[in-house]
Amino acid sequence: GAVVSQHPSWVICKSGTSVKIECRSLDFQATTMFWYRQFPKQSLMLMATSNEGSKATYEQGVEKDKFLINHASLTLSTLTVTSAHPEDSSFYICSGSPRSGDLDTQYFGPGTRLTVL
Amino acid sequence: RKEVEQDPGPFNVPEGATVAFNCTYSNSASQSFFWYRQDCRKEPKLLMSVYSSGNEDGRFTAQLNRASQYISLLIRDSKLSDSATYLCVVKRLGGGADGLTFGKGTHLIIQP
């Protein structure tokens, strides 16, 4: 199946710093990438949808100035958590949809666990 | 009412047993339905799509009841490796984002 990688796998940072998470589709072109986060014992919550070359579409309640998304190519999307605070600590997961596939097909990355001290 | 609701469990069942759990969704216009499994601290992985006519994949059977807005998953001859959290996922309509709505998951523990 299609492979999506994320880096870093985990990161611990101090409050106030910014953290960038990369999401790459390794063997397919992802026109659309999704960013989710999951708090402990909670469901995955969609944060935003990014289409290559376009601005991301954010879900209600997600601050676009705090969670900067860049989808510069068909194989790479980045999420930058700016001025991170402890409440941003979560499991961040990206997924990509193949260019020629339907949007029901999403391939998930392994996730990035962010801990903000 | 939450968009997708599941009994969180945990369900403890002995190896070899048959277990089933359900999920309900609130948006009657939802189009696509899936079961994912998620292992502890890992990303979710697609287990199977759910079709109106019901579908089977090996030991797993999924059913969709549109009238009652619920989805079920049945696991036969359960294995230790089936221990995981099973997420009910619904593709919703509308809004600017074309994503999936995840339930919180049902935690299944298969005991030897």
Side-chain angles (χ1 to χ4, degrees), chain B residues 48-90:
Chain B
M48 59 197 303
S49 301
V50 186
Y51 304 115
S52 296
S53 55
N55 49 297
E56 192 174 304
D57 183 1
R59 297 182 293 109
F60 298 85
T61 301
Q63 295 275 354
L64 167 64
N65 185 320
R66 283 191 184 271
S68 301
Q69 293 180 210
Y70 80 79
I71 305 147
S72 65
L73 177 67
L74 184 143
I75 306 174
R76 287 183 299 278
D77 188 24
S78 52
K79 313 288 184 192
L80 295 176
S81 58
D82 294 334
S83 298
T85 297
Y86 290 83
L87 308 176
C88 175
V89 183
V90 174

mmCIF file of all heavy atoms in Angstrom, chain B residues 48-90:
data_model
loop_
_atom_site.group_PDB
_atom_site.id
_atom_site.type_symbol
_atom_site.label_atom_id
_atom_site.label_comp_id
_atom_site.label_asym_id
_atom_site.label_seq_id
_atom_site.Cartn_x
_atom_site.Cartn_y
_atom_site.Cartn_z
ATOM 1 N N MET B 48 -11.583 -1.983 7.043
ATOM 2 C CA MET B 48 -12.476 -2.278 5.927
ATOM 3 C C MET B 48 -13.478 -1.157 5.734
ATOM 4 O O MET B 48 -13.807 -0.442 6.678
ATOM 5 C CB MET B 48 -13.207 -3.607 6.134
ATOM 6 C CG MET B 48 -14.047 -3.696 7.378
ATOM 7 S SD MET B 48 -14.495 -5.395 7.832
ATOM 8 C CE MET B 48 -15.331 -5.981 6.367
ATOM 9 N N SER B 49 -13.933 -1.024 4.512
ATOM 10 C CA SER B 49 -15.041 -0.125 4.226
ATOM 11 C C SER B 49 -16.330 -0.852 4.562
ATOM 12 O O SER B 49 -16.352 -2.082 4.676
ATOM 13 C CB SER B 49 -15.030 0.272 2.753
ATOM 14 O OG SER B 49 -13.818 0.904 2.415
ATOM 15 N N VAL B 50 -17.389 -0.099 4.719
ATOM 16 C CA VAL B 50 -18.678 -0.691 5.066
ATOM 17 C C VAL B 50 -19.676 -0.353 3.978
ATOM 18 O O VAL B 50 -19.883 0.831 3.682
ATOM 19 C CB VAL B 50 -19.199 -0.168 6.422
ATOM 20 C CG1 VAL B 50 -20.462 -0.913 6.829
ATOM 21 C CG2 VAL B 50 -18.132 -0.292 7.497
ATOM 22 N N TYR B 51 -20.297 -1.379 3.417
ATOM 23 C CA TYR B 51 -21.256 -1.170 2.350
ATOM 24 C C TYR B 51 -22.651 -1.538 2.819
ATOM 25 O O TYR B 51 -22.831 -2.354 3.719
ATOM 26 C CB TYR B 51 -20.865 -2.006 1.118
ATOM 27 C CG TYR B 51 -19.459 -1.721 0.635
ATOM 28 C CD1 TYR B 51 -18.469 -2.703 0.687
ATOM 29 C CD2 TYR B 51 -19.123 -0.456 0.151
ATOM 30 C CE1 TYR B 51 -17.179 -2.436 0.256
ATOM 31 C CE2 TYR B 51 -17.836 -0.190 -0.280
ATOM 32 C CZ TYR B 51 -16.872 -1.183 -0.215
ATOM 33 O OH TYR B 51 -15.598 -0.902 -0.639
ATOM 34 N N SER B 52 -23.633 -0.934 2.158
ATOM 35 C CA SER B 52 -25.028 -1.131 2.569
ATOM 36 C C SER B 52 -25.433 -2.593 2.546
ATOM 37 O O SER B 52 -26.237 -3.043 3.366
ATOM 38 C CB SER B 52 -25.959 -0.330 1.651
ATOM 39 O OG SER B 52 -25.721 1.037 1.778
ATOM 40 N N SER B 53 -24.871 -3.327 1.628
ATOM 41 C CA SER B 53 -25.250 -4.736 1.491
ATOM 42 C C SER B 53 -24.525 -5.616 2.491
ATOM 43 O O SER B 53 -24.761 -6.820 2.561
ATOM 44 C CB SER B 53 -24.940 -5.212 0.067
ATOM 45 O OG SER B 53 -23.574 -4.969 -0.232
ATOM 46 N N GLY B 54 -23.638 -5.019 3.259
ATOM 47 C CA GLY B 54 -22.825 -5.802 4.187
ATOM 48 C C GLY B 54 -21.656 -6.410 3.450
ATOM 49 O O GLY B 54 -21.750 -6.754 2.276
ATOM 50 N N ASN B 55 -20.547 -6.503 4.116
ATOM 51 C CA ASN B 55 -19.373 -7.077 3.467
ATOM 52 C C ASN B 55 -18.509 -7.815 4.479
ATOM 53 O O ASN B 55 -18.537 -7.537 5.669
ATOM 54 C CB ASN B 55 -18.576 -6.012 2.704
ATOM 55 C CG ASN B 55 -18.295 -4.771 3.505
ATOM 56 O OD1 ASN B 55 -19.211 -4.055 3.918
ATOM 57 N ND2 ASN B 55 -17.034 -4.489 3.714
ATOM 58 N N GLU B 56 -17.782 -8.755 3.939
ATOM 59 C CA GLU B 56 -16.991 -9.647 4.769
ATOM 60 C C GLU B 56 -15.560 -9.666 4.270
ATOM 61 O O GLU B 56 -15.310 -9.608 3.058
ATOM 62 C CB GLU B 56 -17.601 -11.055 4.671
ATOM 63 C CG GLU B 56 -17.099 -12.052 5.677
ATOM 64 C CD GLU B 56 -17.882 -13.370 5.595
ATOM 65 O OE1 GLU B 56 -19.116 -13.324 5.719
ATOM 66 O OE2 GLU B 56 -17.245 -14.406 5.369
ATOM 67 N N ASP B 57 -14.630 -9.726 5.209
ATOM 68 C CA ASP B 57 -13.220 -9.844 4.841
ATOM 69 C C ASP B 57 -12.585 -10.802 5.828
ATOM 70 O O ASP B 57 -12.237 -10.412 6.940
ATOM 71 C CB ASP B 57 -12.547 -8.462 4.896
ATOM 72 C CG ASP B 57 -11.092 -8.525 4.452
ATOM 73 O OD1 ASP B 57 -10.611 -9.619 4.088
ATOM 74 O OD2 ASP B 57 -10.437 -7.468 4.464
ATOM 75 N N GLY B 58 -12.525 -12.046 5.426
ATOM 76 C CA GLY B 58 -11.982 -13.056 6.333
ATOM 77 C C GLY B 58 -12.863 -13.214 7.558
ATOM 78 O O GLY B 58 -14.056 -13.492 7.465
ATOM 79 N N ARG B 59 -12.278 -12.967 8.711
ATOM 80 C CA ARG B 59 -13.022 -13.139 9.971
ATOM 81 C C ARG B 59 -13.857 -11.916 10.345
ATOM 82 O O ARG B 59 -14.548 -11.926 11.353
ATOM 83 C CB ARG B 59 -12.025 -13.416 11.097
ATOM 84 C CG ARG B 59 -11.234 -14.717 10.911
ATOM 85 C CD ARG B 59 -10.283 -14.963 12.081
ATOM 86 N NE ARG B 59 -9.204 -13.978 12.150
ATOM 87 C CZ ARG B 59 -9.113 -13.035 13.084
ATOM 88 N NH1 ARG B 59 -10.045 -12.926 14.023
ATOM 89 N NH2 ARG B 59 -8.100 -12.187 13.079
ATOM 90 N N PHE B 60 -13.779 -10.883 9.541
ATOM 91 C CA PHE B 60 -14.438 -9.617 9.851
ATOM 92 C C PHE B 60 -15.655 -9.405 8.942
ATOM 93 O O PHE B 60 -15.560 -9.565 7.732
ATOM 94 C CB PHE B 60 -13.456 -8.457 9.672
ATOM 95 C CG PHE B 60 -12.266 -8.531 10.588
ATOM 96 C CD1 PHE B 60 -11.155 -9.284 10.246
ATOM 97 C CD2 PHE B 60 -12.267 -7.850 11.788
ATOM 98 C CE1 PHE B 60 -10.062 -9.362 11.089
ATOM 99 C CE2 PHE B 60 -11.173 -7.913 12.643
ATOM 100 C CZ PHE B 60 -10.068 -8.676 12.293
ATOM 101 N N THR B 61 -16.763 -9.028 9.577
ATOM 102 C CA THR B 61 -17.978 -8.713 8.821
ATOM 103 C C THR B 61 -18.482 -7.352 9.252
ATOM 104 O O THR B 61 -18.617 -7.090 10.448
ATOM 105 C CB THR B 61 -19.074 -9.764 9.075
ATOM 106 O OG1 THR B 61 -18.586 -11.050 8.688
ATOM 107 C CG2 THR B 61 -20.327 -9.440 8.276
ATOM 108 N N ALA B 62 -18.760 -6.514 8.282
ATOM 109 C CA ALA B 62 -19.268 -5.172 8.564
ATOM 110 C C ALA B 62 -20.665 -5.036 7.997
ATOM 111 O O ALA B 62 -20.973 -5.572 6.935
ATOM 112 C CB ALA B 62 -18.341 -4.118 7.965
ATOM 113 N N GLN B 63 -21.502 -4.333 8.741
ATOM 114 C CA GLN B 63 -22.879 -4.105 8.296
ATOM 115 C C GLN B 63 -23.212 -2.629 8.467
ATOM 116 O O GLN B 63 -22.732 -1.975 9.393
ATOM 117 C CB GLN B 63 -23.867 -4.920 9.147
ATOM 118 C CG GLN B 63 -23.747 -6.425 9.022
ATOM 119 C CD GLN B 63 -24.525 -6.960 7.834
ATOM 120 O OE1 GLN B 63 -25.238 -6.225 7.161
ATOM 121 N NE2 GLN B 63 -24.388 -8.251 7.572
ATOM 122 N N LEU B 64 -24.066 -2.152 7.582
ATOM 123 C CA LEU B 64 -24.532 -0.770 7.660
ATOM 124 C C LEU B 64 -26.050 -0.778 7.663
ATOM 125 O O LEU B 64 -26.668 -1.439 6.827
ATOM 126 C CB LEU B 64 -24.013 0.024 6.457
ATOM 127 C CG LEU B 64 -24.639 1.396 6.187
ATOM 128 C CD1 LEU B 64 -24.357 2.357 7.335
ATOM 129 C CD2 LEU B 64 -24.128 1.967 4.872
ATOM 130 N N ASN B 65 -26.641 -0.071 8.591
ATOM 131 C CA ASN B 65 -28.091 0.085 8.630
ATOM 132 C C ASN B 65 -28.382 1.579 8.510
ATOM 133 O O ASN B 65 -28.290 2.332 9.486
ATOM 134 C CB ASN B 65 -28.641 -0.474 9.946
ATOM 135 C CG ASN B 65 -30.164 -0.445 9.998
ATOM 136 O OD1 ASN B 65 -30.795 0.519 9.559
ATOM 137 N ND2 ASN B 65 -30.752 -1.496 10.521
ATOM 138 N N ARG B 66 -28.705 2.004 7.311
ATOM 139 C CA ARG B 66 -28.917 3.436 7.072
ATOM 140 C C ARG B 66 -30.163 3.951 7.779
ATOM 141 O O ARG B 66 -30.196 5.082 8.244
ATOM 142 C CB ARG B 66 -29.026 3.709 5.570
ATOM 143 C CG ARG B 66 -27.685 3.698 4.842
ATOM 144 C CD ARG B 66 -27.846 4.227 3.432
ATOM 145 N NE ARG B 66 -26.611 4.150 2.681
ATOM 146 C CZ ARG B 66 -25.685 5.108 2.659
ATOM 147 N NH1 ARG B 66 -25.864 6.208 3.367
ATOM 148 N NH2 ARG B 66 -24.598 4.955 1.941
ATOM 149 N N ALA B 67 -31.186 3.116 7.844
ATOM 150 C CA ALA B 67 -32.437 3.563 8.461
ATOM 151 C C ALA B 67 -32.219 3.900 9.933
ATOM 152 O O ALA B 67 -32.747 4.880 10.447
ATOM 153 C CB ALA B 67 -33.503 2.484 8.311
ATOM 154 N N SER B 68 -31.439 3.071 10.596
ATOM 155 C CA SER B 68 -31.186 3.289 12.021
ATOM 156 C C SER B 68 -29.882 4.025 12.263
ATOM 157 O O SER B 68 -29.539 4.323 13.407
ATOM 158 C CB SER B 68 -31.136 1.943 12.755
ATOM 159 O OG SER B 68 -32.351 1.245 12.589
ATOM 160 N N GLN B 69 -29.155 4.283 11.210
ATOM 161 C CA GLN B 69 -27.893 5.022 11.283
ATOM 162 C C GLN B 69 -26.907 4.361 12.229
ATOM 163 O O GLN B 69 -26.378 5.004 13.153
ATOM 164 C CB GLN B 69 -28.155 6.496 11.664
ATOM 165 C CG GLN B 69 -28.905 7.230 10.569
ATOM 166 C CD GLN B 69 -29.194 8.685 10.888
ATOM 167 O OE1 GLN B 69 -30.191 9.221 10.435
ATOM 168 N NE2 GLN B 69 -28.372 9.331 11.650
ATOM 169 N N TYR B 70 -26.707 3.080 12.010
ATOM 170 C CA TYR B 70 -25.647 2.444 12.774
ATOM 171 C C TYR B 70 -24.857 1.485 11.888
ATOM 172 O O TYR B 70 -25.322 1.009 10.863
ATOM 173 C CB TYR B 70 -26.163 1.749 14.046
ATOM 174 C CG TYR B 70 -26.785 0.393 13.875
ATOM 175 C CD1 TYR B 70 -25.993 -0.743 13.718
ATOM 176 C CD2 TYR B 70 -28.158 0.222 13.935
ATOM 177 C CE1 TYR B 70 -26.555 -1.997 13.583
ATOM 178 C CE2 TYR B 70 -28.722 -1.025 13.810
ATOM 179 C CZ TYR B 70 -27.928 -2.125 13.631
ATOM 180 O OH TYR B 70 -28.497 -3.361 13.503
ATOM 181 N N ILE B 71 -23.647 1.266 12.349
ATOM 182 C CA ILE B 71 -22.686 0.422 11.651
ATOM 183 C C ILE B 71 -22.210 -0.621 12.651
ATOM 184 O O ILE B 71 -22.057 -0.309 13.832
ATOM 185 C CB ILE B 71 -21.483 1.251 11.191
ATOM 186 C CG1 ILE B 71 -21.934 2.432 10.348
ATOM 187 C CG2 ILE B 71 -20.497 0.407 10.394
ATOM 188 C CD1 ILE B 71 -21.057 3.642 10.529
ATOM 189 N N SER B 72 -22.003 -1.819 12.200
ATOM 190 C CA SER B 72 -21.522 -2.852 13.113
ATOM 191 C C SER B 72 -20.282 -3.532 12.549
ATOM 192 O O SER B 72 -20.037 -3.534 11.333
ATOM 193 C CB SER B 72 -22.622 -3.889 13.376
ATOM 194 O OG SER B 72 -22.922 -4.584 12.173
ATOM 195 N N LEU B 73 -19.527 -4.081 13.471
ATOM 196 C CA LEU B 73 -18.359 -4.874 13.094
ATOM 197 C C LEU B 73 -18.395 -6.153 13.909
ATOM 198 O O LEU B 73 -18.549 -6.108 15.129
ATOM 199 C CB LEU B 73 -17.062 -4.118 13.382
ATOM 200 C CG LEU B 73 -15.771 -4.874 13.101
ATOM 201 C CD1 LEU B 73 -15.607 -5.117 11.595
ATOM 202 C CD2 LEU B 73 -14.553 -4.115 13.638
ATOM 203 N N LEU B 74 -18.274 -7.270 13.234
ATOM 204 C CA LEU B 74 -18.261 -8.568 13.902
ATOM 205 C C LEU B 74 -16.938 -9.251 13.613
ATOM 206 O O LEU B 74 -16.492 -9.281 12.459
ATOM 207 C CB LEU B 74 -19.427 -9.427 13.407
ATOM 208 C CG LEU B 74 -19.613 -10.789 14.066
ATOM 209 C CD1 LEU B 74 -21.089 -11.101 14.229
ATOM 210 C CD2 LEU B 74 -18.938 -11.895 13.254
ATOM 211 N N ILE B 75 -16.330 -9.767 14.657
ATOM 212 C CA ILE B 75 -15.063 -10.481 14.518
ATOM 213 C C ILE B 75 -15.281 -11.909 14.984
ATOM 214 O O ILE B 75 -15.667 -12.147 16.131
ATOM 215 C CB ILE B 75 -13.948 -9.821 15.365
ATOM 216 C CG1 ILE B 75 -13.820 -8.334 15.031
ATOM 217 C CG2 ILE B 75 -12.616 -10.541 15.127
ATOM 218 C CD1 ILE B 75 -12.832 -7.587 15.921
ATOM 219 N N ARG B 76 -15.024 -12.847 14.089
ATOM 220 C CA ARG B 76 -15.172 -14.269 14.441
ATOM 221 C C ARG B 76 -13.815 -14.850 14.796
ATOM 222 O O ARG B 76 -12.770 -14.377 14.342
ATOM 223 C CB ARG B 76 -15.753 -15.037 13.259
ATOM 224 C CG ARG B 76 -17.216 -14.783 12.981
ATOM 225 C CD ARG B 76 -17.693 -15.672 11.825
ATOM 226 N NE ARG B 76 -16.947 -15.366 10.600
ATOM 227 C CZ ARG B 76 -17.240 -14.357 9.804
ATOM 228 N NH1 ARG B 76 -18.243 -13.547 10.089
ATOM 229 N NH2 ARG B 76 -16.530 -14.144 8.714
ATOM 230 N N ASP B 77 -13.847 -15.899 15.597
ATOM 231 C CA ASP B 77 -12.614 -16.624 15.925
ATOM 232 C C ASP B 77 -11.502 -15.637 16.288
ATOM 233 O O ASP B 77 -10.427 -15.618 15.676
ATOM 234 C CB ASP B 77 -12.189 -17.486 14.730
ATOM 235 C CG ASP B 77 -11.029 -18.408 15.054
ATOM 236 O OD1 ASP B 77 -10.840 -18.729 16.245
ATOM 237 O OD2 ASP B 77 -10.284 -18.777 14.121
ATOM 238 N N SER B 78 -11.756 -14.821 17.280
ATOM 239 C CA SER B 78 -10.838 -13.730 17.607
ATOM 240 C C SER B 78 -9.449 -14.247 17.981
ATOM 241 O O SER B 78 -9.285 -15.303 18.604
ATOM 242 C CB SER B 78 -11.420 -12.881 18.740
ATOM 243 O OG SER B 78 -11.793 -13.698 19.825
ATOM 244 N N LYS B 79 -8.454 -13.478 17.583
ATOM 245 C CA LYS B 79 -7.043 -13.787 17.853
ATOM 246 C C LYS B 79 -6.488 -12.758 18.829
ATOM 247 O O LYS B 79 -7.009 -11.638 18.935
ATOM 248 C CB LYS B 79 -6.216 -13.718 16.553
ATOM 249 C CG LYS B 79 -6.812 -14.431 15.361
ATOM 250 C CD LYS B 79 -6.740 -15.923 15.509
ATOM 251 C CE LYS B 79 -7.256 -16.614 14.240
ATOM 252 N NZ LYS B 79 -7.463 -18.055 14.457
ATOM 253 N N LEU B 80 -5.406 -13.126 19.467
ATOM 254 C CA LEU B 80 -4.753 -12.191 20.380
ATOM 255 C C LEU B 80 -4.365 -10.906 19.648
ATOM 256 O O LEU B 80 -4.429 -9.811 20.205
ATOM 257 C CB LEU B 80 -3.516 -12.833 21.009
ATOM 258 C CG LEU B 80 -3.758 -14.025 21.927
ATOM 259 C CD1 LEU B 80 -2.428 -14.610 22.404
ATOM 260 C CD2 LEU B 80 -4.622 -13.630 23.118
ATOM 261 N N SER B 81 -3.983 -11.058 18.395
ATOM 262 C CA SER B 81 -3.548 -9.900 17.611
ATOM 263 C C SER B 81 -4.683 -8.955 17.236
ATOM 264 O O SER B 81 -4.439 -7.872 16.705
ATOM 265 C CB SER B 81 -2.839 -10.371 16.335
ATOM 266 O OG SER B 81 -3.718 -11.193 15.580
ATOM 267 N N ASP B 82 -5.916 -9.372 17.514
ATOM 268 C CA ASP B 82 -7.056 -8.490 17.243
ATOM 269 C C ASP B 82 -7.206 -7.430 18.338
ATOM 270 O O ASP B 82 -8.009 -6.503 18.189
ATOM 271 C CB ASP B 82 -8.360 -9.294 17.152
ATOM 272 C CG ASP B 82 -8.402 -10.234 15.957
ATOM 273 O OD1 ASP B 82 -7.715 -9.946 14.945
ATOM 274 O OD2 ASP B 82 -9.105 -11.269 16.032
ATOM 275 N N SER B 83 -6.472 -7.564 19.413
ATOM 276 C CA SER B 83 -6.537 -6.579 20.498
ATOM 277 C C SER B 83 -6.098 -5.221 19.960
ATOM 278 O O SER B 83 -4.978 -5.072 19.464
ATOM 279 C CB SER B 83 -5.629 -6.991 21.656
ATOM 280 O OG SER B 83 -6.048 -8.218 22.209
ATOM 281 N N ALA B 84 -6.988 -4.279 20.044
ATOM 282 C CA ALA B 84 -6.723 -2.945 19.493
ATOM 283 C C ALA B 84 -7.933 -2.073 19.801
ATOM 284 O O ALA B 84 -8.909 -2.523 20.398
ATOM 285 C CB ALA B 84 -6.490 -3.004 17.977
ATOM 286 N N THR B 85 -7.853 -0.837 19.372
ATOM 287 C CA THR B 85 -9.023 0.046 19.430
ATOM 288 C C THR B 85 -9.600 0.140 18.030
ATOM 289 O O THR B 85 -8.866 0.388 17.065
ATOM 290 C CB THR B 85 -8.629 1.436 19.942
ATOM 291 O OG1 THR B 85 -8.134 1.327 21.271
ATOM 292 C CG2 THR B 85 -9.828 2.374 19.935
ATOM 293 N N TYR B 86 -10.891 -0.068 17.923
ATOM 294 C CA TYR B 86 -11.555 -0.067 16.613
ATOM 295 C C TYR B 86 -12.330 1.229 16.469
ATOM 296 O O TYR B 86 -13.199 1.552 17.270
ATOM 297 C CB TYR B 86 -12.453 -1.302 16.480
ATOM 298 C CG TYR B 86 -11.626 -2.560 16.353
ATOM 299 C CD1 TYR B 86 -11.130 -3.196 17.481
ATOM 300 C CD2 TYR B 86 -11.277 -3.060 15.096
ATOM 301 C CE1 TYR B 86 -10.317 -4.323 17.369
ATOM 302 C CE2 TYR B 86 -10.474 -4.179 14.978
ATOM 303 C CZ TYR B 86 -9.993 -4.804 16.121
ATOM 304 O OH TYR B 86 -9.179 -5.905 16.007
ATOM 305 N N LEU B 87 -11.983 1.956 15.431
ATOM 306 C CA LEU B 87 -12.561 3.273 15.204
ATOM 307 C C LEU B 87 -13.619 3.213 14.107
ATOM 308 O O LEU B 87 -13.369 2.706 13.021
ATOM 309 C CB LEU B 87 -11.469 4.264 14.780
ATOM 310 C CG LEU B 87 -10.232 4.360 15.673
ATOM 311 C CD1 LEU B 87 -9.219 5.310 15.057
ATOM 312 C CD2 LEU B 87 -10.624 4.854 17.052
ATOM 313 N N CYS B 88 -14.760 3.732 14.425
ATOM 314 C CA CYS B 88 -15.829 3.876 13.441
ATOM 315 C C CYS B 88 -15.623 5.227 12.770
ATOM 316 O O CYS B 88 -15.438 6.240 13.461
ATOM 317 C CB CYS B 88 -17.162 3.822 14.167
ATOM 318 S SG CYS B 88 -18.603 4.108 13.144
ATOM 319 N N VAL B 89 -15.619 5.248 11.466
ATOM 320 C CA VAL B 89 -15.295 6.470 10.745
ATOM 321 C C VAL B 89 -16.343 6.744 9.688
ATOM 322 O O VAL B 89 -16.726 5.850 8.936
ATOM 323 C CB VAL B 89 -13.901 6.354 10.093
ATOM 324 C CG1 VAL B 89 -13.523 7.640 9.393
ATOM 325 C CG2 VAL B 89 -12.853 5.987 11.143
ATOM 326 N N VAL B 90 -16.762 7.986 9.644
ATOM 327 C CA VAL B 90 -17.828 8.383 8.719
ATOM 328 C C VAL B 90 -17.332 9.540 7.879
ATOM 329 O O VAL B 90 -16.723 10.483 8.397
ATOM 330 C CB VAL B 90 -19.079 8.802 9.523
ATOM 331 C CG1 VAL B 90 -20.147 9.370 8.602
ATOM 332 C CG2 VAL B 90 -19.616 7.619 10.303
#
